[in-house]
Amino acid sequence: MEEDRERFDSESRELADELTREFVENLAKRTEGREAAEALEWHLEKLEEAIASVSARHSRFFWMHLSRRLPPNPVHGTSDWTARLCRGVLELSLLKHGHPDAEDISQGGSFIAPTQLTYEDARDIFCLYHLAYQYNRVATAFRRVGKGAILVIEDDDFDAVADSDLERRMQLVDDRTAHYQRPFSTFGTALSVWSQVLSEADKSPYQLLVPTLNATEELLPPRAVEMLGLPPLLTRGAPNYMLGLIALEPLRDYLEMFAPQIEASFGARPCRLLTFLWALGGRQMLLIHTKPGHGWQLVQRGYSVTTRSEEDAAIALLVGLYREGLNQHGGIELDPESALAEVLQLVELLTYKEGDYSAINLWDRMPLKPILVHGDFTIWDHAAIPMFLETLAKSVGLFDGGLGNYKGSEFERQVNALIGATKAVKAWKTGKLRNAEGEYDVDASFIVDDVLYIVECKAVSANPRYIRGDWATLQSRWRVFDDYLSKAKDVAEFLDRNRVGRNYEIPDDVARIEYCVSTPMAEYIPTDDPAYWFDPETPRICIPQELLEFAT
């Protein structure tokens, strides 16, 4: 038995290990800068070619069926964050490179499964997971190289090595991202729409229940077990997915500011798209109440399946929920015929077309849609919904000009709302502060004890090359934020010289004025110069919640 396990593990790793050896053989002992980045880009291409070769052996849904049965963290003892990234690469690669035919899938009653499952198939799905792990590892090395790390050969492997100061700064931005960043932060908003993993009652009716990868391997909380109607036998181990709640109202209100642009890109207004997703989740909960097996399917697989014979009933249920959702949460009344037409249109818009599969980018992990049709089966991928919502937010994230001003104004509102909700601080002034010397704009400000904080708010989205870690893009972005911080410093010095103005007066008990730039995402700070830091762990370019925690 142990020999069989070792053989299986060795065969699963073989292709990924072979590609790593080939990569290392072409590296110099130490490689850095553009040369290192180009080498890593070449390796990513080779890894995707290998993924495509293995994936082409079966259909998309065949691989989806197998991959959703893998525990969330089966290889390399990775962190839960890395496990999520690897699973994202795996899921998208199977959709992109699996073949479109459905001959390898069959149905027996309500059970849908591969027509045949061999040792080689089981080996190959783990092989693909190892390749996805290596793909994510190389992408991580690329980001580190962009910040100044050096590729070095270690035995038959490689590593992106940094000196202690650089390593500390890179680790710090990762820690700050994990602790403070919101799902849509990279797209220029601090909008918070996630609640904790389902454990307590929530009174809002406009919530979307979605499965989230259970990379930390937690047990289902009692409320979730009760809601899903699961028998005790099925709750002894950790499920592959937990359940999270997304508050749709704040997301709808934000995206509706850009409704014409989103409709032009996606074919429907945000309120329609979000209400349809709400109806899709509502349909799943109704199915769970009538047949608890649907609950187990949701937390173990993250998707549900309907056959062609069940399609009319599924659409009818969605139409009823869609009409109810639009009425309750948008004040929109639709007759049944109009609702049916809209639901059919939305199903079409959110379903993968063949061209969508080829457009998938594993590096950027986009795009992801929640519906795919495979032969006679429709797969409703509830686990893909959060990534689809990110796609919506991303579509407006890089707007500039007037639309960019909307985004910036909304971020200022979010920051000031957070300040107003923080009991330990006292909000001060916003807008133009005037004095005989001149005038300056203040986006947000607050007082804690004897310190006045002047906050420059900048809702700067991250383009894909920045997220990848491209060196030139990192440098360009840093220059922009360095300039913003200088402007914030100018405002603080202006107020320090002019404590009383035409429309403001700094309280007498304020002994010090601090300044910073507030951003939705954790920015990388490429210097240890104290001028850019409040303290060794808190930079002056920081996330709103991070700033308030430091100040208080």
Side-chain angles (χ1 to χ4, degrees), residues 67-323:
S67 71
R68 296 296 175 93
R69 280 149 181 80
L70 293 179
N73 192 10
V75 296
H76 299 284
T78 55
S79 68
D80 58 327
W81 175 248
T82 301
R84 290 187 179 96
L85 294 176
C86 293
R87 181 59 71 96
V89 173
L90 177 66
E91 299 281 350
L92 285 171
S93 66
L94 301 179
L95 290 172
K96 182 175 183 178
H97 297 298
H99 71 65
D101 299 330
E103 294 100 0
D104 51 7
I105 296 293
S106 66
Q107 180 185 13
S110 61
F111 183 69
I112 299 170
T115 53
Q116 184 179 5
L117 186 62
T118 66
Y119 170 89
E120 288 74 21
D121 297 330
R123 176 203 64 200
D124 285 350
I125 190 61
F126 276 89
C127 170
L128 288 165
Y129 209 129
H130 285 291
L131 289 168
Y133 169 83
Q134 288 296 337
Y135 192 99
N136 182 71
R137 182 181 173 222
V138 174
T140 300
F142 186 93
R143 290 193 294 273
R144 290 172 63 83
V145 164
K147 295 181 177 75
I150 299 172
L151 279 184
V152 299
I153 296 175
E154 297 180 351
D155 298 325
D156 291 332
D157 207 349
F158 70 94
D159 195 9
V161 176
D163 63 40
S164 58
D165 289 337
L166 177 57
E167 188 64 48
R168 183 188 64 80
R169 290 197 299 270
M170 290 193 295
Q171 184 59 53
L172 181 59
V173 75
D174 289 345
D175 293 343
R176 292 171 55 231
T177 297
H179 190 67
Y180 295 109
Q181 199 155 295
R182 308 298 189 188
F184 307 121
S185 292
T186 54
F187 313 128
T189 174
L191 192 66
S192 179
V193 297
W194 277 96
S195 65
Q196 294 180 341
V197 172
L198 188 61
S199 58
E200 300 175 358
D202 196 296
K203 297 179 181 179
S204 173
Y206 201 35
Q207 301 269 5
L208 181 60
L209 188 69
V210 292
T212 60
L213 193 68
N214 186 18
T216 53
E217 300 181 286
E218 300 176 43
L219 297 177
L220 282 171
R223 184 187 169 215
V225 173
E226 179 182 358
M227 176 182 288
L228 298 173
L230 299 178
L233 180 64
L234 297 181
T235 60
R236 293 177 181 173
N240 288 346
Y241 293 87
M242 294 296 277
L243 295 178
L245 287 167
I246 298 176
L248 292 179
E249 185 174 7
L251 182 59
R252 178 201 62 199
D253 292 346
Y254 175 69
L255 294 176
E256 277 292 318
M257 293 193 301
F258 314 99
Q261 291 75 25
I262 290 178
E263 185 171 16
S265 298
F266 292 89
R269 292 179 67 95
C271 64
R272 256 66 175 183
L273 290 163
L274 297 179
T275 301
F276 174 80
L277 294 175
W278 177 85
L280 188 59
R283 172 184 172 272
Q284 188 64 21
M285 292 309 299
L286 289 174
L287 293 175
I288 287 170
H289 291 153
T290 58
K291 188 176 181 182
H294 286 284
W296 184 241
Q297 172 81 357
L298 188 65
V299 295
Q300 281 298 89
R301 315 299 177 224
Y303 62 73
S304 58
V305 182
T306 55
T307 62
R308 187 164 295 175
S309 62
E310 300 168 321
E311 186 174 322
D312 288 345
I315 294 297
L317 188 50
L318 283 172
V319 168
L321 289 166
Y322 181 72
R323 291 182 67 205

Side-chain angles (χ1 to χ4, degrees), residues 354-408:
E354 200 58 39
D356 295 330
Y357 293 119
S358 60
I360 289 173
N361 187 301
L362 303 187
W363 203 348
D364 299 332
R365 297 181 180 86
M366 293 281 183
L368 200 60
K369 290 188 175 184
I371 307 172
L372 57 146
V373 175
H374 199 69
D376 290 335
F377 311 118
T378 297
I379 298 94
W380 312 87
D381 190 2
H382 301 273
I385 289 174
M387 284 291 287
F388 174 74
L389 295 179
E390 287 189 24
T391 301
L392 283 179
K394 181 180 182 180
S395 70
V396 304
L398 295 176
F399 285 154
D400 54 16
L403 292 173
N405 291 338
Y406 284 141
K407 179 163 60 71

Side-chain angles (χ1 to χ4, degrees), residues 427-446:
W428 194 57
K429 299 287 186 178
T430 62
K432 290 188 182 297
L433 302 187
R434 297 181 175 89
N435 187 279
E437 183 180 325
E439 65 178 31
Y440 278 91
D441 276 319
V442 173
D443 296 336
S445 63
F446 60 90

Side-chain angles (χ1 to χ4, degrees), residues 414-547:
Q414 293 167 2
V415 172
N416 281 293
L418 184 59
I419 290 171
T422 304
K423 294 181 179 179
V425 309
K426 179 182 178 182
W428 194 57
K429 299 287 186 178
T430 62
K432 290 188 182 297
L433 302 187
R434 297 181 175 89
N435 187 279
E437 183 180 325
E439 65 178 31
Y440 278 91
D441 276 319
V442 173
D443 296 336
S445 63
F446 60 90
I447 297 172
V448 179
D449 299 327
D450 63 348
V451 183
L452 169 61
Y453 288 86
I454 302 300
V455 186
E456 181 87 358
C457 299
K458 291 299 176 184
V460 183
S461 300
N463 68 44
R465 293 206 66 81
Y466 175 81
I467 296 171
R468 290 181 181 188
D470 176 75
W471 182 87
T473 308
L474 286 169
Q475 296 301 309
S476 175
R477 189 177 178 91
W478 170 244
R479 287 192 294 270
V480 169
F481 275 103
D482 190 20
D483 184 53
Y484 289 150
L485 190 62
S486 294
K487 292 178 180 177
K489 183 180 180 181
D490 289 344
V491 176
E493 291 176 346
F494 165 80
L495 292 172
D496 199 34
R497 292 191 304 270
N498 302 276
R499 293 178 66 94
V500 178
R502 294 173 183 170
N503 60 344
Y504 71 89
E505 181 175 350
I506 297 175
D508 291 338
D509 55 356
V510 169
R512 190 170 85 252
I513 302 176
E514 293 285 2
Y515 60 92
C516 67
V517 174
S518 187
T519 65
M521 62 181 289
E523 299 292 335
Y524 174 67
I525 312 299
T527 174
D528 288 327
D529 184 337
Y532 295 93
W533 298 83
F534 284 120
D535 67 17
E537 294 186 350
T538 312
R540 289 183 182 271
I541 302 171
C542 53
I543 291 173
Q545 187 62 49
E546 181 181 18
L547 168 64

